[in-house]
Amino acid sequence: MPSTLIHPELRINSYGAWLRRRFGCRVSKVNVDGDFTCPNRDGSRGSGGCIYCNNSSFSPGGTQPVIPLETQMTEGMAYHRCRLGSEKFIIYFQKHTNTYGPSAKLRDLFGRALAHPDVLGISIGTRPDALSDEAISLLEELARDHYVCLELGLQSMDDAILARINRGHTLAEYLQTVGRVAGRGIELCTHLIYGFPGETREGFLRTAELIASLPVTSLKLHQLHAVAGTRLADLYYRGEFVPLALDEYVATVCDFLERLPAEIAIQRLYGSAPLAIRVAPTWDLKNNQMWYAIVNELRRRGTWQGCRLTGECCKVGNL
């Protein structure tokens, strides 16, 4: 593993290690709910949202808009201090589209989050079609003194898939937004999902080449899974959505990682949902087991993130 960015045991550039190198201590992300909505739900860009979207599938119970932001932060930080020994924090505005609101609301929420002495920065989940010039200027201003990460949901680079899942934006809009944000001191994270109906492994792997060509600093990967209350769950019950097998997902993610530059930090390798609303697939693995299923496959292959780009995979017979 020639790159010092690659963790020798995990075989990837893990985000946790990336944060520790940057800030010199254990850093955790704390989820909060800023009471936003989504342009793909309120009719601005569409209605009904993405076919897989149910925000309760990835939102901790203590993050509710009726709970004051400062309370959400305090409780979340206490949890991570106790569980992981974290010393500093990044406040993650996760649920819905967290730049879809008036500039005054954004400045208030982000400013209150950054005012806490143990908060190093903020991470903002949003869509490529919901980022105004004013919002970008605000984030650029905040990034002069703080860590600011913009998490853009692309999900797929295939416009036909984006249309089928009712995503409400195109690849071109994602690329335009990346260009508008680049060079402003704002970190860029991209979200991708594998396993959409009609998607091929080859098509998904081409996305690694796209990400490698962009100023993306971190990445989240997620298997497509159906949860209760979504149109994807309805498709599953009708036999119109066949979820990936675990072995297929693990093998494809490893193929993807081998094609991804070592400089890109990996924030996530899988998605999970509460058992009460989980529909499919039912792999019945705990979060750490899912993580290590991928890590152990890289170990079995003798490969690591970015090895195909350097030709090192050729030496271990994996091209």
PDB file of all heavy atoms in Angstrom, residues 1-23:
ATOM      1  N   MET A   1       0.853  -1.193   0.000  1.00  0.00           N
ATOM      2  CA  MET A   1       0.000   0.000   0.000  1.00  0.00           C
ATOM      3  C   MET A   1       0.890   1.246   0.000  1.00  0.00           C
ATOM      4  O   MET A   1       1.295   1.706   1.061  1.00  0.00           O
ATOM      5  CB  MET A   1      -0.945  -0.028   1.205  1.00  0.00           C
ATOM      6  CG  MET A   1      -2.084  -1.012   1.036  1.00  0.00           C
ATOM      7  SD  MET A   1      -3.107  -1.198   2.509  1.00  0.00           S
ATOM      8  CE  MET A   1      -2.101  -2.319   3.459  1.00  0.00           C
ATOM      9  N   PRO A   2       1.203   1.764  -1.181  1.00  0.00           N
ATOM     10  CA  PRO A   2       2.189   2.840  -1.259  1.00  0.00           C
ATOM     11  C   PRO A   2       1.733   4.159  -0.659  1.00  0.00           C
ATOM     12  O   PRO A   2       2.553   4.944  -0.208  1.00  0.00           O
ATOM     13  CB  PRO A   2       2.433   2.984  -2.770  1.00  0.00           C
ATOM     14  CG  PRO A   2       1.188   2.451  -3.409  1.00  0.00           C
ATOM     15  CD  PRO A   2       0.730   1.345  -2.514  1.00  0.00           C
ATOM     16  N   SER A   3       0.441   4.443  -0.627  1.00  0.00           N
ATOM     17  CA  SER A   3      -0.040   5.717  -0.110  1.00  0.00           C
ATOM     18  C   SER A   3      -0.150   5.670   1.405  1.00  0.00           C
ATOM     19  O   SER A   3      -0.737   4.740   1.973  1.00  0.00           O
ATOM     20  CB  SER A   3      -1.399   6.075  -0.712  1.00  0.00           C
ATOM     21  OG  SER A   3      -1.905   7.249  -0.109  1.00  0.00           O
ATOM     22  N   THR A   4       0.403   6.671   2.058  1.00  0.00           N
ATOM     23  CA  THR A   4       0.288   6.758   3.517  1.00  0.00           C
ATOM     24  C   THR A   4      -1.125   7.119   3.946  1.00  0.00           C
ATOM     25  O   THR A   4      -1.444   7.060   5.133  1.00  0.00           O
ATOM     26  CB  THR A   4       1.273   7.803   4.061  1.00  0.00           C
ATOM     27  OG1 THR A   4       1.004   9.072   3.443  1.00  0.00           O
ATOM     28  CG2 THR A   4       2.707   7.396   3.766  1.00  0.00           C
ATOM     29  N   LEU A   5      -1.988   7.512   3.002  1.00  0.00           N
ATOM     30  CA  LEU A   5      -3.374   7.836   3.319  1.00  0.00           C
ATOM     31  C   LEU A   5      -4.207   6.588   3.582  1.00  0.00           C
ATOM     32  O   LEU A   5      -5.264   6.669   4.203  1.00  0.00           O
ATOM     33  CB  LEU A   5      -4.007   8.646   2.183  1.00  0.00           C
ATOM     34  CG  LEU A   5      -3.362   9.987   1.849  1.00  0.00           C
ATOM     35  CD1 LEU A   5      -4.018  10.583   0.613  1.00  0.00           C
ATOM     36  CD2 LEU A   5      -3.464  10.942   3.031  1.00  0.00           C
ATOM     37  N   ILE A   6      -3.761   5.463   3.092  1.00  0.00           N
ATOM     38  CA  ILE A   6      -4.525   4.228   3.212  1.00  0.00           C
ATOM     39  C   ILE A   6      -4.214   3.566   4.559  1.00  0.00           C
ATOM     40  O   ILE A   6      -3.061   3.273   4.879  1.00  0.00           O
ATOM     41  CB  ILE A   6      -4.188   3.260   2.061  1.00  0.00           C
ATOM     42  CG1 ILE A   6      -4.495   3.914   0.707  1.00  0.00           C
ATOM     43  CG2 ILE A   6      -4.965   1.959   2.211  1.00  0.00           C
ATOM     44  CD1 ILE A   6      -5.929   4.349   0.540  1.00  0.00           C
ATOM     45  N   HIS A   7      -5.265   3.330   5.327  1.00  0.00           N
ATOM     46  CA  HIS A   7      -5.110   2.669   6.627  1.00  0.00           C
ATOM     47  C   HIS A   7      -4.611   1.247   6.386  1.00  0.00           C
ATOM     48  O   HIS A   7      -5.220   0.492   5.606  1.00  0.00           O
ATOM     49  CB  HIS A   7      -6.455   2.652   7.352  1.00  0.00           C
ATOM     50  CG  HIS A   7      -6.379   2.266   8.785  1.00  0.00           C
ATOM     51  ND1 HIS A   7      -6.115   0.978   9.191  1.00  0.00           N
ATOM     52  CD2 HIS A   7      -6.524   2.997   9.926  1.00  0.00           C
ATOM     53  CE1 HIS A   7      -6.121   0.925  10.509  1.00  0.00           C
ATOM     54  NE2 HIS A   7      -6.357   2.129  10.980  1.00  0.00           N
ATOM     55  N   PRO A   8      -3.528   0.835   7.033  1.00  0.00           N
ATOM     56  CA  PRO A   8      -2.945  -0.479   6.729  1.00  0.00           C
ATOM     57  C   PRO A   8      -3.857  -1.654   7.043  1.00  0.00           C
ATOM     58  O   PRO A   8      -3.751  -2.705   6.406  1.00  0.00           O
ATOM     59  CB  PRO A   8      -1.678  -0.509   7.594  1.00  0.00           C
ATOM     60  CG  PRO A   8      -1.909   0.510   8.671  1.00  0.00           C
ATOM     61  CD  PRO A   8      -2.751   1.576   8.041  1.00  0.00           C
ATOM     62  N   GLU A   9      -4.774  -1.501   7.989  1.00  0.00           N
ATOM     63  CA  GLU A   9      -5.689  -2.582   8.324  1.00  0.00           C
ATOM     64  C   GLU A   9      -6.993  -2.484   7.546  1.00  0.00           C
ATOM     65  O   GLU A   9      -7.517  -3.478   7.050  1.00  0.00           O
ATOM     66  CB  GLU A   9      -5.976  -2.584   9.828  1.00  0.00           C
ATOM     67  CG  GLU A   9      -4.753  -2.904  10.686  1.00  0.00           C
ATOM     68  CD  GLU A   9      -4.230  -4.296  10.430  1.00  0.00           C
ATOM     69  OE1 GLU A   9      -5.054  -5.211  10.221  1.00  0.00           O
ATOM     70  OE2 GLU A   9      -2.998  -4.470  10.429  1.00  0.00           O
ATOM     71  N   LEU A  10      -7.528  -1.269   7.429  1.00  0.00           N
ATOM     72  CA  LEU A  10      -8.815  -1.083   6.759  1.00  0.00           C
ATOM     73  C   LEU A  10      -8.691  -1.074   5.241  1.00  0.00           C
ATOM     74  O   LEU A  10      -9.677  -1.288   4.533  1.00  0.00           O
ATOM     75  CB  LEU A  10      -9.460   0.221   7.230  1.00  0.00           C
ATOM     76  CG  LEU A  10      -9.761   0.325   8.722  1.00  0.00           C
ATOM     77  CD1 LEU A  10     -10.378   1.674   9.044  1.00  0.00           C
ATOM     78  CD2 LEU A  10     -10.683  -0.806   9.171  1.00  0.00           C
ATOM     79  N   ARG A  11      -7.500  -0.759   4.725  1.00  0.00           N
ATOM     80  CA  ARG A  11      -7.221  -0.750   3.287  1.00  0.00           C
ATOM     81  C   ARG A  11      -7.989   0.326   2.522  1.00  0.00           C
ATOM     82  O   ARG A  11      -8.153   0.241   1.315  1.00  0.00           O
ATOM     83  CB  ARG A  11      -7.462  -2.138   2.678  1.00  0.00           C
ATOM     84  CG  ARG A  11      -6.479  -3.158   3.214  1.00  0.00           C
ATOM     85  CD  ARG A  11      -6.661  -4.539   2.646  1.00  0.00           C
ATOM     86  NE  ARG A  11      -5.566  -5.381   3.104  1.00  0.00           N
ATOM     87  CZ  ARG A  11      -4.469  -5.655   2.387  1.00  0.00           C
ATOM     88  NH1 ARG A  11      -4.351  -5.166   1.168  1.00  0.00           N
ATOM     89  NH2 ARG A  11      -3.512  -6.410   2.876  1.00  0.00           N
ATOM     90  N   ILE A  12      -8.474   1.318   3.232  1.00  0.00           N
ATOM     91  CA  ILE A  12      -9.113   2.483   2.626  1.00  0.00           C
ATOM     92  C   ILE A  12      -8.624   3.732   3.353  1.00  0.00           C
ATOM     93  O   ILE A  12      -8.026   3.646   4.422  1.00  0.00           O
ATOM     94  CB  ILE A  12     -10.654   2.410   2.709  1.00  0.00           C
ATOM     95  CG1 ILE A  12     -11.109   2.384   4.178  1.00  0.00           C
ATOM     96  CG2 ILE A  12     -11.203   1.225   1.931  1.00  0.00           C
ATOM     97  CD1 ILE A  12     -12.606   2.496   4.366  1.00  0.00           C
ATOM     98  N   ASN A  13      -8.906   4.863   2.770  1.00  0.00           N
ATOM     99  CA  ASN A  13      -8.668   6.146   3.428  1.00  0.00           C
ATOM    100  C   ASN A  13      -9.929   6.471   4.218  1.00  0.00           C
ATOM    101  O   ASN A  13     -10.836   7.128   3.721  1.00  0.00           O
ATOM    102  CB  ASN A  13      -8.368   7.222   2.385  1.00  0.00           C
ATOM    103  CG  ASN A  13      -8.108   8.592   3.000  1.00  0.00           C
ATOM    104  OD1 ASN A  13      -8.052   8.747   4.214  1.00  0.00           O
ATOM    105  ND2 ASN A  13      -7.964   9.595   2.149  1.00  0.00           N
ATOM    106  N   SER A  14     -10.001   5.979   5.436  1.00  0.00           N
ATOM    107  CA  SER A  14     -11.222   6.140   6.218  1.00  0.00           C
ATOM    108  C   SER A  14     -11.368   7.579   6.703  1.00  0.00           C
ATOM    109  O   SER A  14     -10.383   8.235   7.048  1.00  0.00           O
ATOM    110  CB  SER A  14     -11.231   5.183   7.412  1.00  0.00           C
ATOM    111  OG  SER A  14     -10.330   5.614   8.409  1.00  0.00           O
ATOM    112  N   TYR A  15     -12.599   8.043   6.727  1.00  0.00           N
ATOM    113  CA  TYR A  15     -12.883   9.425   7.122  1.00  0.00           C
ATOM    114  C   TYR A  15     -12.472   9.690   8.567  1.00  0.00           C
ATOM    115  O   TYR A  15     -11.983  10.769   8.894  1.00  0.00           O
ATOM    116  CB  TYR A  15     -14.370   9.699   6.931  1.00  0.00           C
ATOM    117  CG  TYR A  15     -14.802  11.133   7.153  1.00  0.00           C
ATOM    118  CD1 TYR A  15     -14.284  12.173   6.390  1.00  0.00           C
ATOM    119  CD2 TYR A  15     -15.773  11.427   8.113  1.00  0.00           C
ATOM    120  CE1 TYR A  15     -14.712  13.479   6.577  1.00  0.00           C
ATOM    121  CE2 TYR A  15     -16.209  12.732   8.300  1.00  0.00           C
ATOM    122  CZ  TYR A  15     -15.676  13.750   7.532  1.00  0.00           C
ATOM    123  OH  TYR A  15     -16.109  15.047   7.732  1.00  0.00           O
ATOM    124  N   GLY A  16     -12.675   8.698   9.435  1.00  0.00           N
ATOM    125  CA  GLY A  16     -12.283   8.871  10.827  1.00  0.00           C
ATOM    126  C   GLY A  16     -10.794   9.140  10.955  1.00  0.00           C
ATOM    127  O   GLY A  16     -10.373  10.039  11.700  1.00  0.00           O
ATOM    128  N   ALA A  17      -9.981   8.359  10.229  1.00  0.00           N
ATOM    129  CA  ALA A  17      -8.536   8.577  10.261  1.00  0.00           C
ATOM    130  C   ALA A  17      -8.172   9.903   9.601  1.00  0.00           C
ATOM    131  O   ALA A  17      -7.256  10.606  10.037  1.00  0.00           O
ATOM    132  CB  ALA A  17      -7.823   7.419   9.558  1.00  0.00           C
ATOM    133  N   TRP A  18      -8.890  10.266   8.541  1.00  0.00           N
ATOM    134  CA  TRP A  18      -8.669  11.540   7.849  1.00  0.00           C
ATOM    135  C   TRP A  18      -8.902  12.713   8.800  1.00  0.00           C
ATOM    136  O   TRP A  18      -8.113  13.661   8.856  1.00  0.00           O
ATOM    137  CB  TRP A  18      -9.599  11.618   6.647  1.00  0.00           C
ATOM    138  CG  TRP A  18      -9.431  12.806   5.753  1.00  0.00           C
ATOM    139  CD1 TRP A  18      -8.623  12.894   4.655  1.00  0.00           C
ATOM    140  CD2 TRP A  18     -10.113  14.079   5.860  1.00  0.00           C
ATOM    141  NE1 TRP A  18      -8.755  14.144   4.080  1.00  0.00           N
ATOM    142  CE2 TRP A  18      -9.647  14.882   4.794  1.00  0.00           C
ATOM    143  CE3 TRP A  18     -11.048  14.601   6.746  1.00  0.00           C
ATOM    144  CZ2 TRP A  18     -10.106  16.187   4.600  1.00  0.00           C
ATOM    145  CZ3 TRP A  18     -11.502  15.892   6.553  1.00  0.00           C
ATOM    146  CH2 TRP A  18     -11.031  16.672   5.499  1.00  0.00           C
ATOM    147  N   LEU A  19      -9.976  12.634   9.583  1.00  0.00           N
ATOM    148  CA  LEU A  19     -10.263  13.693  10.546  1.00  0.00           C
ATOM    149  C   LEU A  19      -9.201  13.756  11.634  1.00  0.00           C
ATOM    150  O   LEU A  19      -8.785  14.846  12.052  1.00  0.00           O
ATOM    151  CB  LEU A  19     -11.641  13.468  11.182  1.00  0.00           C
ATOM    152  CG  LEU A  19     -12.861  13.717  10.296  1.00  0.00           C
ATOM    153  CD1 LEU A  19     -14.130  13.258  10.999  1.00  0.00           C
ATOM    154  CD2 LEU A  19     -12.984  15.182   9.896  1.00  0.00           C
ATOM    155  N   ARG A  20      -8.759  12.607  12.087  1.00  0.00           N
ATOM    156  CA  ARG A  20      -7.736  12.591  13.141  1.00  0.00           C
ATOM    157  C   ARG A  20      -6.431  13.204  12.634  1.00  0.00           C
ATOM    158  O   ARG A  20      -5.759  13.959  13.357  1.00  0.00           O
ATOM    159  CB  ARG A  20      -7.505  11.167  13.640  1.00  0.00           C
ATOM    160  CG  ARG A  20      -6.597  11.093  14.863  1.00  0.00           C
ATOM    161  CD  ARG A  20      -6.365   9.638  15.256  1.00  0.00           C
ATOM    162  NE  ARG A  20      -7.554   9.036  15.825  1.00  0.00           N
ATOM    163  CZ  ARG A  20      -7.864   9.068  17.115  1.00  0.00           C
ATOM    164  NH1 ARG A  20      -7.072   9.699  17.964  1.00  0.00           N
ATOM    165  NH2 ARG A  20      -8.956   8.473  17.554  1.00  0.00           N
ATOM    166  N   ARG A  21      -6.068  12.899  11.382  1.00  0.00           N
ATOM    167  CA  ARG A  21      -4.859  13.499  10.818  1.00  0.00           C
ATOM    168  C   ARG A  21      -5.003  15.011  10.708  1.00  0.00           C
ATOM    169  O   ARG A  21      -4.065  15.766  10.969  1.00  0.00           O
ATOM    170  CB  ARG A  21      -4.568  12.918   9.431  1.00  0.00           C
ATOM    171  CG  ARG A  21      -4.057  11.499   9.420  1.00  0.00           C
ATOM    172  CD  ARG A  21      -3.479  11.119   8.071  1.00  0.00           C
ATOM    173  NE  ARG A  21      -4.443  11.236   6.986  1.00  0.00           N
ATOM    174  CZ  ARG A  21      -5.236  10.248   6.583  1.00  0.00           C
ATOM    175  NH1 ARG A  21      -5.185   9.067   7.187  1.00  0.00           N
ATOM    176  NH2 ARG A  21      -6.076  10.425   5.574  1.00  0.00           N
ATOM    177  N   ARG A  22      -6.178  15.461  10.328  1.00  0.00           N
ATOM    178  CA  ARG A  22      -6.387  16.891  10.114  1.00  0.00           C
ATOM    179  C   ARG A  22      -6.469  17.666  11.418  1.00  0.00           C
ATOM    180  O   ARG A  22      -5.907  18.764  11.534  1.00  0.00           O
ATOM    181  CB  ARG A  22      -7.653  17.116   9.289  1.00  0.00           C
ATOM    182  CG  ARG A  22      -7.995  18.582   9.094  1.00  0.00           C
ATOM    183  CD  ARG A  22      -8.893  18.811   7.929  1.00  0.00           C
ATOM    184  NE  ARG A  22      -9.247  20.215   7.779  1.00  0.00           N
ATOM    185  CZ  ARG A  22      -9.901  20.710   6.740  1.00  0.00           C
ATOM    186  NH1 ARG A  22     -10.258  19.909   5.750  1.00  0.00           N
ATOM    187  NH2 ARG A  22     -10.198  21.980   6.671  1.00  0.00           N
ATOM    188  N   PHE A  23      -7.174  17.113  12.401  1.00  0.00           N
ATOM    189  CA  PHE A  23      -7.441  17.878  13.623  1.00  0.00           C
ATOM    190  C   PHE A  23      -6.662  17.399  14.840  1.00  0.00           C
ATOM    191  O   PHE A  23      -6.694  18.051  15.884  1.00  0.00           O
ATOM    192  CB  PHE A  23      -8.943  17.864  13.920  1.00  0.00           C
ATOM    193  CG  PHE A  23      -9.771  18.541  12.866  1.00  0.00           C
ATOM    194  CD1 PHE A  23     -10.615  17.799  12.039  1.00  0.00           C
ATOM    195  CD2 PHE A  23      -9.699  19.908  12.674  1.00  0.00           C
ATOM    196  CE1 PHE A  23     -11.385  18.417  11.059  1.00  0.00           C
ATOM    197  CE2 PHE A  23     -10.458  20.537  11.699  1.00  0.00           C
ATOM    198  CZ  PHE A  23     -11.295  19.794  10.888  1.00  0.00           C
TER     199      PHE A  23
END
